[in-house]
Amino acid sequence: MKYIFKILFLLCVSALPGTMSLHALSGQEVRFHNEAADTTAITRLLTEASAMTFANPEARNEFFARKFIGKPYVAHTLECDTAEILTVNLDELDCTTFVETVLALSYTAGERRSSWRDFVYNLRRMRYRAGETDGYASRLHYICDWAVDNIHRGNITDATDAFPRFNYLVRTIDLMSANRGKYPALADSANFARIRSVEDGYRSHRFPYIKSMNVDSKEISRNLRSGDVVALVSNLKNLDVTHMGIVVREPDGELHLLHASSSDGRIEITKRPLGDFLKKNRQWLGIRVFRLTE
């Protein structure tokens, strides 16, 4: 079983004719998979959430995440031949766009807003550096970069080092520039230079993580919340994370991973509890835990 974070995908997939539409929003364009269906679905989800009471942001995350179960896994939906543009696609998601979409919905609901325009605003805030679309390199391709930028702006917190048992890893992140030929956008020298500049900020980058062997321990599992965002730490030497998902507690009482599965081709809940799932997949060393800030 293999799950690869979006920056590892090598090919750009063209949109099907007639499925994408553009919408100008406050001077910045948005590319919808299907504008009418997407905006209607976003409004419906936010309206439904507005009638509910949630104990915490994680409970809201779980509510929205479960709404996507069964949706197809599709890679490369953010890539296009034109200039970088915010893409909204509720029908086709990879692991990262799934988590970003859930968090943007949850954040918007936490603001007591129910407009698709507010969702689009928050999705842009989650996905792009400083919340602004400014070319290919403004997208937060690496999870370490996504975490630092969103934590700095108060969108999320890294809860990992609040757990009873955690360790630190040090990585120099440069997968994209080291594999320039595999990323069409990096053929442009300006894009390449900007990505290199981003990577320069993550030389010997130190971050906390919880080892796979400890995830199912009582002291860790009882501190994980259903609805927590977890990022799975890679064993690759020049990358930090290769998969993301939402932790959910199932009827068996165990915590499982709700995620966009590339191998099964859909958004689903793992059959194995999270700890067993990690131990079975040796390409992951453990997890980082992120929570929305309100």
Side-chain angles (χ1 to χ4, degrees):
M1 187 180 297
K2 189 175 182 181
Y3 305 90
I4 303 297
F5 176 52
K6 65 186 177 185
I7 65 172
L8 297 181
F9 293 119
L10 310 181
L11 301 176
C12 179
V13 176
S14 299
L16 294 175
T19 61
M20 288 292 181
S21 59
L22 295 180
H23 186 102
L25 187 70
S26 301
Q28 292 185 309
E29 284 188 326
V30 182
R31 183 176 67 143
F32 287 91
H33 179 244
N34 183 317
E35 183 172 349
D38 287 340
T39 55
T40 299
I42 292 163
T43 302
R44 175 180 52 78
L45 286 168
L46 291 172
T47 300
E48 185 178 349
S50 70
M52 302 176 65
T53 300
F54 299 98
N56 50 42
E58 292 73 48
R60 284 202 315 271
N61 294 349
E62 179 177 359
F63 166 78
F64 286 115
R66 288 184 180 274
K67 296 293 185 179
F68 290 91
I69 292 175
K71 291 281 188 180
Y73 174 99
V74 179
H76 321 300
T77 59
L78 304 187
E79 310 304 331
C80 59
D81 295 331
T82 59
E84 184 74 19
I85 187 170
L86 178 70
T87 297
V88 177
N89 187 342
L90 272 65
D91 296 316
E92 303 168 337
L93 304 109
D94 63 23
C95 67
T96 308
T97 58
F98 167 59
V99 169
E100 288 175 336
T101 299
V102 167
L103 289 182
L105 285 166
S106 184
Y107 199 96
T108 305
E111 296 176 315
R112 309 302 295 176
R113 297 179 184 273
S114 57
S115 166
W116 64 264
R117 291 176 177 84
D118 295 309
F119 162 81
V120 168
Y121 173 79
N122 284 323
L123 181 62
R124 192 188 305 276
R125 288 178 65 234
M126 292 282 174
R127 184 174 290 166
Y128 289 96
R129 191 177 320 285
E132 296 293 335
T133 309
D134 182 24
Y136 180 77
S138 69
R139 197 194 318 160
L140 298 165
H141 296 273
Y142 293 113
I143 292 303
C144 57
D145 196 28
W146 176 85
V148 168
D149 189 80
N150 277 283
I151 289 169
H152 175 72
R153 289 185 287 117
N155 294 336
I156 62 172
T157 59
D158 186 342
T160 314
D161 59 5
F163 280 75
R165 298 172 69 181
F166 67 92
N167 296 84
Y168 283 100
L169 269 180
V170 176
R171 291 274 172 84
T172 291
I173 310 297
D174 65 359
L175 181 97
M176 294 180 73
S177 65
N179 295 275
R180 181 179 183 178
K182 297 177 180 178
Y183 301 95
L186 297 188
D188 179 272
S189 59
N191 283 341
F192 181 71
R194 289 183 67 189
I195 289 293
R196 283 292 302 272
S197 179
V198 169
E199 292 174 343
D200 284 345
Y202 294 95
R203 295 187 181 278
S204 299
H205 178 60
R206 184 172 181 260
F207 59 90
Y209 79 112
I210 300 167
K211 290 184 177 181
S212 294
M213 68 177 71
N214 296 327
V215 168
D216 58 2
S217 67
K218 289 183 179 180
E219 56 189 339
I220 298 299
S221 60
R222 70 186 174 203
N223 283 283
L224 277 168
R225 302 174 186 172
S226 196
D228 274 340
V229 173
V230 292
L232 280 57
V233 176
S234 172
N235 62 8
L236 297 174
K237 300 303 183 184
N238 59 350
L239 187 63
D240 56 332
V241 164
T242 52
H243 195 50
M244 299 183 79
I246 308 289
V247 171
V248 293
R249 193 173 298 279
E250 286 293 271
D252 62 4
E254 300 283 351
L255 291 167
H256 293 246
L257 185 67
L258 201 175
H259 66 140
S261 167
S262 61
S263 61
D264 290 340
R266 63 179 180 270
I267 294 175
E268 63 182 14
I269 298 173
T270 56
K271 295 180 177 63
R272 295 172 178 266
L274 178 61
D276 290 344
F277 180 73
L278 288 167
K279 290 173 186 175
K280 183 178 181 292
N281 293 276
R282 299 291 183 88
Q283 74 265 35
W284 297 314
L285 304 181
I287 61 171
R288 300 184 69 181
V289 183
F290 299 106
R291 291 173 178 160
L292 276 181
T293 303
E294 288 192 326

